[in-house]
């Protein structure tokens, strides 16, 4: 009897189900199911069939968030840093190129053996002539990607895709003190949106750009502006592809993101880099103190950093087209800015765009 117990006890421990394992298995399976649903929606869109909006319920969002995407993204980041043997580089990168349609003819270095690991390949530089910067229009695309939505901000709500919105204040966080911003005091207003508009007669505009895994992973300054403040929101790392953005309301408010705010010649200007699954690392070149997807930060909080100090009262000046930051994989860029009422976007929802091409102008 004692011998039997010695043999059966470890087996019982192996097959004992724990809540964490159940959550991971259930959440992972549901995430896979959602990926399949997203694929079907994409096929319908390609055929020109309009897909009705169907938002996720609270329990569906909770189930999706139970997947340890932050932990998985950190593991993916470490895997990306592993140096590949020279003989393995071309087969691995060629598979990625074929899967996501990467155009290596635009890369500054086309030889696949040059990239020691996946991280270097994701962050490959382009040939200088591959992305000419538009000089005519005042705002250009900061990255390659797909235009999900654009237009005026209305009723303090911003559309992440057509028919699905998120709160402007939840996304940007509380209004930054005007002492940290070197433009004039905003006129008093009843809404958060009115507080951001600093000049009479201006409107608030937005533009959402989705970067697919095969796109160029760096992002640049969309205009001439000055960055005064950085706000980092630790959060979830759910997928931000258009199918999920159509399914989860306020998806961008759930996910980890870095909000850069400042001003341009027409007033308030902001650029937000939104993290996603396997994109736990968001890098801003001039901000060495920023560390995203770190276990030391808890969800639901945010931390601020001002670039205006006693030694630097002007913030960080950025020129249109200048290198600003990078993702480790595809993700999303959100621009929110004020401009005069005659500002016009030169875009169509769903169109592909490349860094340097015009977004809009006066």
């Amino acid at each position: 009897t004692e011998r039997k117990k010695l043999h059966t006890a470890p087996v019982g421990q192996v097959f004992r189900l724990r809540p964490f394992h159940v959550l991971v298995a259930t959440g992972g399976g549901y995430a896979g199911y959602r990926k399949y649903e997203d694929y079907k929606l994409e096929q319908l869109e390609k055929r020109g069939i309009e897909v009705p909006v169907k938002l996720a319920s609270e329990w569906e969002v909770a189930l999706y968030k139970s997947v340890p995407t932050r932990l998985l993204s950190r593991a993916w980041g470490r895997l990306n840093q592993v140096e590949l043997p020279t003989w393995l580089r071309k087969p691995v990168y060629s598979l990625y190129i074929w899967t996501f349609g990467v155009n290596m003819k635009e890369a500054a270095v086309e030889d696949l053996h040059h990239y020691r690991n996946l991280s270097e390949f994701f962050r490959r530089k382009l040939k200088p002539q591959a992305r000419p910067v538009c000089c005519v229009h005042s705002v250009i695309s900061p990255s390659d990607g797909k235009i999900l939505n654009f237009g005026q901000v209305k009723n303090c709500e911003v559309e992440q895709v057509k028919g699905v919105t998120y709160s402007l204040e939840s996304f940007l966080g509380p209004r930054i003190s005007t002492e940290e911003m070197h433009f004039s005091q905003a006129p008093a207003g009843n809404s958060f949106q009115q507080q951001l508009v600093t000049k009479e007669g201006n409107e608030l505009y937005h533009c959402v750009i989705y970067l697919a895994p095969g796109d160029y992973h760096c992002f640049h300054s969309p205009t001439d502006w000055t960055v005064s403040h950085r706000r980092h929101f630790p959060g979830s790392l759910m997928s931000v592809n258009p199918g999920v953005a159509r399914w989860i309301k306020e998806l961008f408010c759930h996910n980890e993101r870095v909000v850069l705010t400042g001003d341009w010649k027409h007033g308030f200007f902001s650029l937000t880099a939104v993290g996603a699954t396997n994109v736990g690392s968001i890098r801003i070149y001039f901000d060495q103190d920023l560390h995203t997807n770190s276990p030391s930060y808890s969800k639901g909080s945010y931390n601020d950093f001002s670039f205006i100090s006693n030694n630097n009262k002007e913030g960080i000046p950025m020129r249109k087209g200048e290198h600003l930051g990078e993702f480790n994989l595809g993700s999303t860029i959100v621009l929110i800015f004020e401009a005069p009422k005659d500002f016009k976007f030169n875009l169509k929802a769903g169109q592909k765009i490349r860094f340097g091409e015009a977004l809009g102008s006066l």
Side-chain angles (χ1 to χ4, degrees):
T1 305
E2 290 180 0
R3 185 179 301 170
K4 185 177 180 181
K5 287 181 179 178
L6 288 173
H7 284 289
T8 57
V11 175
Q13 291 177 4
V14 169
F15 289 100
R16 185 182 302 161
L17 291 176
R18 297 180 180 178
F20 176 76
H21 298 153
V22 173
L23 283 174
V24 171
T26 308
Y30 193 75
Y33 165 75
R34 287 305 315 172
K35 286 286 186 181
Y36 174 68
E37 290 292 311
D38 296 340
Y39 171 77
K40 292 198 299 183
L41 290 175
E42 288 177 5
Q43 297 305 308
L44 291 173
E45 285 183 344
K46 289 180 179 178
R47 291 161 55 187
I49 301 174
E50 188 172 347
V51 181
V53 175
K54 183 181 178 182
L55 294 177
S57 62
E58 291 185 9
W59 72 265
E60 287 178 308
V61 176
L63 186 58
Y64 190 2
K65 293 174 73 172
S66 70
V67 181
T69 50
R70 289 169 62 86
L71 180 61
L72 293 173
S73 297
R74 285 195 288 270
W76 174 254
R78 293 190 181 97
L79 179 63
N80 288 348
Q81 299 293 333
V82 176
E83 185 169 341
L84 297 176
T86 305
W87 61 270
L88 188 59
R89 294 174 189 177
K90 189 171 183 179
V92 170
Y93 301 148
S94 296
L95 177 62
Y96 186 91
I97 290 168
W98 176 79
T99 303
F100 296 108
V102 178
N103 184 3
M104 284 302 293
K105 292 183 179 179
E106 297 178 333
V109 180
E110 296 184 39
D111 182 11
L112 298 180
H113 295 101
H114 169 79
Y115 302 101
R116 294 173 299 175
N117 52 47
L118 284 166
S119 182
E120 284 190 4
F121 178 71
F122 293 148
R123 296 181 287 107
R124 63 193 177 277
K125 303 302 181 184
L126 299 181
K127 294 173 182 175
Q129 66 273 20
R131 296 290 187 276
V133 175
C134 177
C135 299
V136 178
H137 293 79
S138 55
V139 184
I140 62 169
S141 176
S143 66
D144 289 7
K146 178 181 180 180
I147 301 295
L148 295 190
N149 217 301
F150 63 92
Q152 284 190 19
V153 177
K154 297 179 180 178
N155 302 320
C156 297
E157 291 280 326
V158 185
E159 283 194 317
Q160 57 193 28
V161 293
K162 185 178 179 180
V164 182
T165 63
Y166 56 93
S167 163
L168 182 64
E169 186 168 7
S170 297
F171 181 68
L172 295 178
R175 175 80 168 107
I176 299 166
S177 169
T178 51
E179 295 178 0
E180 298 183 36
M181 314 292 279
H182 60 274
F183 50 81
S184 61
Q185 171 72 44
N190 296 324
S191 70
F192 182 79
Q193 177 178 336
Q194 290 172 319
Q195 293 174 28
L196 295 180
V197 178
T198 64
K199 297 181 180 180
E200 188 175 354
N202 279 2
E203 297 288 347
L204 206 60
Y205 298 86
H206 75 99
C207 183
V208 183
I209 306 169
Y210 167 68
L211 289 74
D215 287 328
Y216 171 53
H217 288 65
C218 296
F219 51 93
H220 301 247
S221 176
T223 192
D224 295 335
W225 66 306
T226 300
V227 183
S228 303
H229 189 273
R230 179 258 291 161
R231 177 168 285 161
H232 171 216
F233 290 86
S236 301
L237 288 172
M238 295 183 284
S239 171
V240 293
N241 73 56
V244 177
R246 186 184 296 106
W247 179 56
I248 298 181
K249 183 178 173 64
E250 298 205 333
L251 171 65
F252 299 156
C253 298
H254 289 293
N255 273 16
E256 181 152 8
R257 59 198 181 278
V258 177
V259 182
L260 300 178
T261 54
D263 68 301
W264 69 319
K265 60 183 178 180
H266 299 298
F268 175 81
F269 199 97
S270 73
L271 179 149
T272 301
V274 183
T277 307
N278 293 336
V279 197
S281 175
I282 301 171
R283 183 183 174 193
I284 304 297
Y285 294 139
F286 58 75
D287 189 353
Q288 302 301 315
D289 296 323
L290 175 65
H291 301 286
T292 57
N293 195 17
S294 170
S296 60
Y297 294 121
S298 59
K299 295 181 184 179
S301 62
Y302 65 85
N303 55 84
D304 288 337
F305 184 84
S306 175
F307 296 109
I308 297 179
S309 64
N310 293 331
N311 297 325
N312 178 21
K313 294 184 179 297
E314 296 300 320
I316 308 294
M318 297 296 300
R319 303 295 297 176
K320 184 168 64 174
E322 186 178 350
H323 276 85
L324 183 55
E326 63 188 35
F327 295 111
N328 268 347
L329 206 61
S331 194
T332 299
I333 296 286
V334 180
L335 302 179
I336 298 175
F337 57 94
E338 71 169 296
K341 292 181 179 180
D342 55 350
F343 181 89
K344 300 294 183 184
F345 284 101
N346 301 314
L347 301 172
K348 292 181 180 179
Q351 79 172 70
K352 291 288 292 182
I353 197 166
R354 303 201 304 176
F355 155 62
E357 294 179 347
L359 287 184
S361 189
L362 297 171

